[in-house]
PDB file of all heavy atoms in Angstrom:
ATOM      1  N   VAL A  12       7.148   7.928  20.922  1.00 98.00           N
ATOM      2  CA  VAL A  12       6.094   8.695  21.580  1.00 98.00           C
ATOM      3  C   VAL A  12       5.142   7.729  22.274  1.00 98.00           C
ATOM      4  O   VAL A  12       4.960   6.595  21.816  1.00 98.00           O
ATOM      5  CB  VAL A  12       5.352   9.580  20.554  1.00 98.00           C
ATOM      6  CG1 VAL A  12       4.649   8.740  19.504  1.00 98.00           C
ATOM      7  CG2 VAL A  12       4.389  10.532  21.217  1.00 98.00           C
ATOM      8  N   GLN A  13       4.549   8.179  23.353  1.00 98.00           N
ATOM      9  CA  GLN A  13       3.594   7.341  24.072  1.00 98.00           C
ATOM     10  C   GLN A  13       2.245   7.328  23.374  1.00 98.00           C
ATOM     11  O   GLN A  13       1.912   8.277  22.641  1.00 98.00           O
ATOM     12  CB  GLN A  13       3.431   7.863  25.491  1.00 98.00           C
ATOM     13  CG  GLN A  13       4.668   7.692  26.354  1.00 98.00           C
ATOM     14  CD  GLN A  13       4.413   8.056  27.798  1.00 98.00           C
ATOM     15  OE1 GLN A  13       3.439   8.718  28.134  1.00 98.00           O
ATOM     16  NE2 GLN A  13       5.298   7.598  28.677  1.00 98.00           N
ATOM     17  N   PRO A  14       1.477   6.294  23.565  1.00 98.00           N
ATOM     18  CA  PRO A  14       0.118   6.277  22.999  1.00 98.00           C
ATOM     19  C   PRO A  14      -0.651   7.531  23.411  1.00 98.00           C
ATOM     20  O   PRO A  14      -0.579   7.964  24.562  1.00 98.00           O
ATOM     21  CB  PRO A  14      -0.493   5.015  23.611  1.00 98.00           C
ATOM     22  CG  PRO A  14       0.669   4.116  23.846  1.00 98.00           C
ATOM     23  CD  PRO A  14       1.788   5.026  24.271  1.00 98.00           C
ATOM     24  N   GLY A  15      -1.346   8.098  22.444  1.00 98.00           N
ATOM     25  CA  GLY A  15      -2.066   9.343  22.670  1.00 98.00           C
ATOM     26  C   GLY A  15      -1.260  10.586  22.375  1.00 98.00           C
ATOM     27  O   GLY A  15      -1.819  11.692  22.351  1.00 98.00           O
ATOM     28  N   GLY A  16       0.023  10.416  22.131  1.00 98.00           N
ATOM     29  CA  GLY A  16       0.895  11.547  21.858  1.00 98.00           C
ATOM     30  C   GLY A  16       0.824  12.034  20.418  1.00 98.00           C
ATOM     31  O   GLY A  16       0.035  11.520  19.609  1.00 98.00           O
ATOM     32  N   SER A  17       1.670  13.006  20.122  1.00 98.00           N
ATOM     33  CA  SER A  17       1.676  13.639  18.794  1.00 98.00           C
ATOM     34  C   SER A  17       3.092  13.756  18.249  1.00 98.00           C
ATOM     35  O   SER A  17       4.059  13.827  19.011  1.00 98.00           O
ATOM     36  CB  SER A  17       1.078  15.043  18.880  1.00 98.00           C
ATOM     37  OG  SER A  17      -0.254  15.011  19.321  1.00 98.00           O
ATOM     38  N   LEU A  18       3.171  13.754  16.940  1.00 98.00           N
ATOM     39  CA  LEU A  18       4.416  14.021  16.222  1.00 98.00           C
ATOM     40  C   LEU A  18       4.081  14.784  14.953  1.00 98.00           C
ATOM     41  O   LEU A  18       2.982  14.639  14.400  1.00 98.00           O
ATOM     42  CB  LEU A  18       5.134  12.720  15.841  1.00 98.00           C
ATOM     43  CG  LEU A  18       5.891  11.957  16.920  1.00 98.00           C
ATOM     44  CD1 LEU A  18       6.378  10.624  16.362  1.00 98.00           C
ATOM     45  CD2 LEU A  18       7.064  12.761  17.463  1.00 98.00           C
ATOM     46  N   ARG A  19       5.047  15.538  14.481  1.00 98.00           N
ATOM     47  CA  ARG A  19       4.902  16.228  13.198  1.00 98.00           C
ATOM     48  C   ARG A  19       6.062  15.825  12.309  1.00 98.00           C
ATOM     49  O   ARG A  19       7.216  16.090  12.631  1.00 98.00           O
ATOM     50  CB  ARG A  19       4.909  17.739  13.372  1.00 98.00           C
ATOM     51  CG  ARG A  19       4.541  18.501  12.096  1.00 98.00           C
ATOM     52  CD  ARG A  19       4.848  19.968  12.223  1.00 98.00           C
ATOM     53  NE  ARG A  19       4.241  20.763  11.156  1.00 98.00           N
ATOM     54  CZ  ARG A  19       4.749  21.915  10.720  1.00 98.00           C
ATOM     55  NH1 ARG A  19       5.842  22.402  11.253  1.00 98.00           N
ATOM     56  NH2 ARG A  19       4.126  22.585   9.757  1.00 98.00           N
ATOM     57  N   ARG A  38       3.421   4.506   4.834  1.00 98.00           N
ATOM     58  CA  ARG A  38       4.139   3.913   5.957  1.00 98.00           C
ATOM     59  C   ARG A  38       4.301   2.418   5.744  1.00 98.00           C
ATOM     60  O   ARG A  38       3.525   1.787   5.021  1.00 98.00           O
ATOM     61  CB  ARG A  38       3.409   4.180   7.272  1.00 98.00           C
ATOM     62  CG  ARG A  38       2.091   3.443   7.427  1.00 98.00           C
ATOM     63  CD  ARG A  38       1.386   3.894   8.708  1.00 98.00           C
ATOM     64  NE  ARG A  38       0.207   3.100   9.018  1.00 98.00           N
ATOM     65  CZ  ARG A  38      -0.633   3.364  10.010  1.00 98.00           C
ATOM     66  NH1 ARG A  38      -0.433   4.429  10.794  1.00 98.00           N
ATOM     67  NH2 ARG A  38      -1.670   2.581  10.233  1.00 98.00           N
ATOM     68  N   PHE A  62      -7.952   4.704   8.423  1.00 95.00           N
ATOM     69  CA  PHE A  62      -7.417   4.457   9.763  1.00 95.00           C
ATOM     70  C   PHE A  62      -6.738   5.687  10.381  1.00 95.00           C
ATOM     71  O   PHE A  62      -6.344   5.648  11.542  1.00 95.00           O
ATOM     72  CB  PHE A  62      -6.465   3.250   9.765  1.00 95.00           C
ATOM     73  CG  PHE A  62      -5.336   3.329   8.772  1.00 95.00           C
ATOM     74  CD1 PHE A  62      -4.217   4.121   9.013  1.00 95.00           C
ATOM     75  CD2 PHE A  62      -5.397   2.611   7.593  1.00 95.00           C
ATOM     76  CE1 PHE A  62      -3.184   4.183   8.097  1.00 95.00           C
ATOM     77  CE2 PHE A  62      -4.369   2.668   6.663  1.00 95.00           C
ATOM     78  CZ  PHE A  62      -3.259   3.465   6.910  1.00 95.00           C
ATOM     79  N   VAL A  63      -6.598   6.779   9.629  1.00 93.00           N
ATOM     80  CA  VAL A  63      -6.004   7.993  10.206  1.00 93.00           C
ATOM     81  C   VAL A  63      -6.955   9.182  10.184  1.00 93.00           C
ATOM     82  O   VAL A  63      -6.612  10.248  10.702  1.00 93.00           O
ATOM     83  CB  VAL A  63      -4.683   8.381   9.512  1.00 93.00           C
ATOM     84  CG1 VAL A  63      -3.684   7.251   9.627  1.00 93.00           C
ATOM     85  CG2 VAL A  63      -4.906   8.803   8.083  1.00 93.00           C
ATOM     86  N   LYS A  64      -8.120   9.020   9.607  1.00 91.00           N
ATOM     87  CA  LYS A  64      -9.062  10.139   9.527  1.00 91.00           C
ATOM     88  C   LYS A  64      -9.396  10.664  10.916  1.00 91.00           C
ATOM     89  O   LYS A  64      -9.687   9.897  11.830  1.00 91.00           O
ATOM     90  CB  LYS A  64     -10.334   9.697   8.811  1.00 91.00           C
ATOM     91  CG  LYS A  64     -10.206   9.615   7.302  1.00 91.00           C
ATOM     92  CD  LYS A  64     -11.516   9.226   6.636  1.00 91.00           C
ATOM     93  CE  LYS A  64     -11.355   9.157   5.129  1.00 91.00           C
ATOM     94  NZ  LYS A  64     -12.613   8.723   4.472  1.00 91.00           N
ATOM     95  N   GLY A  65      -9.321  11.967  11.042  1.00 94.00           N
ATOM     96  CA  GLY A  65      -9.617  12.601  12.321  1.00 94.00           C
ATOM     97  C   GLY A  65      -8.427  12.668  13.257  1.00 94.00           C
ATOM     98  O   GLY A  65      -8.495  13.333  14.297  1.00 94.00           O
ATOM     99  N   ARG A  66      -7.341  11.986  12.914  1.00 97.00           N
ATOM    100  CA  ARG A  66      -6.159  11.991  13.788  1.00 97.00           C
ATOM    101  C   ARG A  66      -4.950  12.650  13.110  1.00 97.00           C
ATOM    102  O   ARG A  66      -4.155  13.318  13.769  1.00 97.00           O
ATOM    103  CB  ARG A  66      -5.784  10.554  14.174  1.00 97.00           C
ATOM    104  CG  ARG A  66      -6.870   9.819  14.939  1.00 97.00           C
ATOM    105  CD  ARG A  66      -6.353   8.492  15.496  1.00 97.00           C
ATOM    106  NE  ARG A  66      -5.894   7.583  14.456  1.00 97.00           N
ATOM    107  CZ  ARG A  66      -4.680   7.042  14.423  1.00 97.00           C
ATOM    108  NH1 ARG A  66      -3.791   7.332  15.358  1.00 97.00           N
ATOM    109  NH2 ARG A  66      -4.348   6.196  13.445  1.00 97.00           N
ATOM    110  N   PHE A  67      -4.798  12.431  11.817  1.00 98.00           N
ATOM    111  CA  PHE A  67      -3.648  12.954  11.081  1.00 98.00           C
ATOM    112  C   PHE A  67      -4.099  14.080  10.160  1.00 98.00           C
ATOM    113  O   PHE A  67      -5.213  14.042   9.616  1.00 98.00           O
ATOM    114  CB  PHE A  67      -3.006  11.870  10.228  1.00 98.00           C
ATOM    115  CG  PHE A  67      -2.317  10.760  10.990  1.00 98.00           C
ATOM    116  CD1 PHE A  67      -2.422  10.634  12.373  1.00 98.00           C
ATOM    117  CD2 PHE A  67      -1.559   9.824  10.300  1.00 98.00           C
ATOM    118  CE1 PHE A  67      -1.795   9.613  13.049  1.00 98.00           C
ATOM    119  CE2 PHE A  67      -0.911   8.794  10.967  1.00 98.00           C
ATOM    120  CZ  PHE A  67      -1.040   8.685  12.344  1.00 98.00           C
ATOM    121  N   THR A  68      -3.208  15.049   9.941  1.00 98.00           N
ATOM    122  CA  THR A  68      -3.464  16.147   9.022  1.00 98.00           C
ATOM    123  C   THR A  68      -2.247  16.360   8.138  1.00 98.00           C
ATOM    124  O   THR A  68      -1.139  16.532   8.653  1.00 98.00           O
ATOM    125  CB  THR A  68      -3.784  17.441   9.772  1.00 98.00           C
ATOM    126  OG1 THR A  68      -4.906  17.242  10.634  1.00 98.00           O
ATOM    127  CG2 THR A  68      -4.108  18.560   8.775  1.00 98.00           C
ATOM    128  N   GLN A  81       0.959  16.031  10.416  1.00 98.00           N
ATOM    129  CA  GLN A  81       0.696  16.194  11.840  1.00 98.00           C
ATOM    130  C   GLN A  81      -0.068  14.969  12.318  1.00 98.00           C
ATOM    131  O   GLN A  81      -1.153  14.674  11.819  1.00 98.00           O
ATOM    132  CB  GLN A  81      -0.110  17.455  12.100  1.00 98.00           C
ATOM    133  CG  GLN A  81      -0.493  17.665  13.561  1.00 98.00           C
ATOM    134  CD  GLN A  81       0.712  17.934  14.444  1.00 98.00           C
ATOM    135  OE1 GLN A  81       1.584  18.711  14.089  1.00 98.00           O
ATOM    136  NE2 GLN A  81       0.746  17.287  15.605  1.00 98.00           N
ATOM    137  N   MET A  82       0.506  14.279  13.278  1.00 98.00           N
ATOM    138  CA  MET A  82      -0.088  13.037  13.765  1.00 98.00           C
ATOM    139  C   MET A  82      -0.460  13.200  15.230  1.00 98.00           C
ATOM    140  O   MET A  82       0.409  13.443  16.075  1.00 98.00           O
ATOM    141  CB  MET A  82       0.894  11.880  13.601  1.00 98.00           C
ATOM    142  CG  MET A  82       1.404  11.707  12.186  1.00 98.00           C
ATOM    143  SD  MET A  82       2.388  10.210  11.955  1.00 98.00           S
ATOM    144  CE  MET A  82       3.757  10.557  13.055  1.00 98.00           C
ATOM    145  N   ASN A  83      -1.744  13.096  15.515  1.00 98.00           N
ATOM    146  CA  ASN A  83      -2.255  13.204  16.875  1.00 98.00           C
ATOM    147  C   ASN A  83      -2.901  11.889  17.301  1.00 98.00           C
ATOM    148  O   ASN A  83      -3.204  11.037  16.457  1.00 98.00           O
ATOM    149  CB  ASN A  83      -3.275  14.342  16.971  1.00 98.00           C
ATOM    150  CG  ASN A  83      -2.694  15.687  16.613  1.00 98.00           C
ATOM    151  OD1 ASN A  83      -1.516  15.968  16.861  1.00 98.00           O
ATOM    152  ND2 ASN A  83      -3.519  16.551  16.038  1.00 98.00           N
ATOM    153  N   SER A  84      -3.120  11.748  18.577  1.00 98.00           N
ATOM    154  CA  SER A  84      -3.779  10.552  19.120  1.00 98.00           C
ATOM    155  C   SER A  84      -3.133   9.280  18.585  1.00 98.00           C
ATOM    156  O   SER A  84      -3.821   8.353  18.134  1.00 98.00           O
ATOM    157  CB  SER A  84      -5.278  10.570  18.774  1.00 98.00           C
ATOM    158  OG  SER A  84      -5.897  11.722  19.273  1.00 98.00           O
ATOM    159  N   LEU A  85      -1.839   9.241  18.652  1.00 98.00           N
ATOM    160  CA  LEU A  85      -1.106   8.114  18.092  1.00 98.00           C
ATOM    161  C   LEU A  85      -1.389   6.831  18.847  1.00 98.00           C
ATOM    162  O   LEU A  85      -1.584   6.836  20.071  1.00 98.00           O
ATOM    163  CB  LEU A  85       0.387   8.416  18.082  1.00 98.00           C
ATOM    164  CG  LEU A  85       0.834   9.362  16.963  1.00 98.00           C
ATOM    165  CD1 LEU A  85       2.184   9.977  17.259  1.00 98.00           C
ATOM    166  CD2 LEU A  85       0.856   8.635  15.632  1.00 98.00           C
ATOM    167  N   LYS A  86      -1.394   5.739  18.086  1.00 97.00           N
ATOM    168  CA  LYS A  86      -1.661   4.413  18.627  1.00 97.00           C
ATOM    169  C   LYS A  86      -0.471   3.506  18.359  1.00 97.00           C
ATOM    170  O   LYS A  86       0.291   3.746  17.413  1.00 97.00           O
ATOM    171  CB  LYS A  86      -2.893   3.817  17.949  1.00 97.00           C
ATOM    172  CG  LYS A  86      -4.134   4.670  17.987  1.00 97.00           C
ATOM    173  CD  LYS A  86      -5.254   4.038  17.158  1.00 97.00           C
ATOM    174  CE  LYS A  86      -6.491   4.901  17.140  1.00 97.00           C
ATOM    175  NZ  LYS A  86      -7.578   4.287  16.324  1.00 97.00           N
ATOM    176  N   PRO A  87      -0.318   2.435  19.133  1.00 97.00           N
ATOM    177  CA  PRO A  87       0.783   1.501  18.842  1.00 97.00           C
ATOM    178  C   PRO A  87       0.764   0.979  17.405  1.00 97.00           C
ATOM    179  O   PRO A  87       1.822   0.744  16.815  1.00 97.00           O
ATOM    180  CB  PRO A  87       0.549   0.382  19.862  1.00 97.00           C
ATOM    181  CG  PRO A  87      -0.097   1.079  21.020  1.00 97.00           C
ATOM    182  CD  PRO A  87      -0.987   2.115  20.407  1.00 97.00           C
ATOM    183  N   ASP A  88      -0.427   0.818  16.830  1.00 96.00           N
ATOM    184  CA  ASP A  88      -0.528   0.344  15.442  1.00 96.00           C
ATOM    185  C   ASP A  88       0.019   1.335  14.434  1.00 96.00           C
ATOM    186  O   ASP A  88       0.199   0.989  13.261  1.00 96.00           O
ATOM    187  CB  ASP A  88      -1.991   0.040  15.092  1.00 96.00           C
ATOM    188  CG  ASP A  88      -2.475  -1.263  15.704  1.00 96.00           C
ATOM    189  OD1 ASP A  88      -1.635  -2.011  16.236  1.00 96.00           O
ATOM    190  OD2 ASP A  88      -3.693  -1.517  15.650  1.00 96.00           O
ATOM    191  N   ASP A  89       0.276   2.568  14.853  1.00 98.00           N
ATOM    192  CA  ASP A  89       0.864   3.557  13.955  1.00 98.00           C
ATOM    193  C   ASP A  89       2.375   3.407  13.853  1.00 98.00           C
ATOM    194  O   ASP A  89       3.019   4.108  13.067  1.00 98.00           O
ATOM    195  CB  ASP A  89       0.534   4.972  14.446  1.00 98.00           C
ATOM    196  CG  ASP A  89      -0.946   5.286  14.379  1.00 98.00           C
ATOM    197  OD1 ASP A  89      -1.593   4.903  13.386  1.00 98.00           O
ATOM    198  OD2 ASP A  89      -1.463   5.925  15.329  1.00 98.00           O
ATOM    199  N   THR A  90       2.947   2.521  14.628  1.00 98.00           N
ATOM    200  CA  THR A  90       4.387   2.287  14.576  1.00 98.00           C
ATOM    201  C   THR A  90       4.792   1.793  13.196  1.00 98.00           C
ATOM    202  O   THR A  90       4.259   0.799  12.694  1.00 98.00           O
ATOM    203  CB  THR A  90       4.801   1.257  15.641  1.00 98.00           C
ATOM    204  OG1 THR A  90       4.542   1.815  16.942  1.00 98.00           O
ATOM    205  CG2 THR A  90       6.273   0.903  15.520  1.00 98.00           C
ATOM    206  N   TYR A  93       7.818   5.937   8.128  1.00 98.00           N
ATOM    207  CA  TYR A  93       6.974   6.807   7.317  1.00 98.00           C
ATOM    208  C   TYR A  93       7.794   7.420   6.179  1.00 98.00           C
ATOM    209  O   TYR A  93       8.909   7.908   6.395  1.00 98.00           O
ATOM    210  CB  TYR A  93       6.365   7.899   8.188  1.00 98.00           C
ATOM    211  CG  TYR A  93       5.231   7.389   9.037  1.00 98.00           C
ATOM    212  CD1 TYR A  93       5.471   6.552  10.127  1.00 98.00           C
ATOM    213  CD2 TYR A  93       3.905   7.728   8.756  1.00 98.00           C
ATOM    214  CE1 TYR A  93       4.431   6.058  10.903  1.00 98.00           C
ATOM    215  CE2 TYR A  93       2.863   7.238   9.525  1.00 98.00           C
ATOM    216  CZ  TYR A  93       3.136   6.406  10.593  1.00 98.00           C
ATOM    217  OH  TYR A  93       2.098   5.925  11.351  1.00 98.00           O
ATOM    218  N   VAL A 110       8.727   6.011  13.257  1.00 98.00           N
ATOM    219  CA  VAL A 110       7.786   6.421  14.295  1.00 98.00           C
ATOM    220  C   VAL A 110       7.482   5.201  15.154  1.00 98.00           C
ATOM    221  O   VAL A 110       7.054   4.164  14.630  1.00 98.00           O
ATOM    222  CB  VAL A 110       6.488   6.982  13.682  1.00 98.00           C
ATOM    223  CG1 VAL A 110       5.439   7.216  14.778  1.00 98.00           C
ATOM    224  CG2 VAL A 110       6.767   8.265  12.926  1.00 98.00           C
ATOM    225  N   VAL A 112       5.367   4.073  18.561  1.00 98.00           N
ATOM    226  CA  VAL A 112       4.366   4.453  19.558  1.00 98.00           C
ATOM    227  C   VAL A 112       4.320   3.343  20.604  1.00 98.00           C
ATOM    228  O   VAL A 112       3.877   2.235  20.328  1.00 98.00           O
ATOM    229  CB  VAL A 112       2.985   4.664  18.924  1.00 98.00           C
ATOM    230  CG1 VAL A 112       2.005   5.164  19.993  1.00 98.00           C
ATOM    231  CG2 VAL A 112       3.073   5.636  17.764  1.00 98.00           C
ATOM    232  N   SER A 113       4.792   3.668  21.778  1.00 97.00           N
ATOM    233  CA  SER A 113       4.901   2.650  22.821  1.00 97.00           C
ATOM    234  C   SER A 113       4.971   3.304  24.184  1.00 97.00           C
ATOM    235  O   SER A 113       5.503   4.409  24.327  1.00 97.00           O
ATOM    236  CB  SER A 113       6.159   1.801  22.597  1.00 97.00           C
ATOM    237  OG  SER A 113       6.348   0.889  23.668  1.00 97.00           O
TER     238      SER A 113
END
Side-chain angles (χ1 to χ4, degrees):
V12 63
Q13 292 187 343
S17 299
L18 284 173
R19 189 192 193 208
R38 69 186 188 186
F62 55 78
V63 301
K64 282 182 180 178
R66 299 190 300 125
F67 292 9
T68 303
Q81 177 67 45
M82 305 188 297
N83 300 327
S84 302
L85 283 161
K86 306 174 182 180
D88 284 350
D89 294 319
T90 295
Y93 284 72
V110 172
V112 184
S113 175

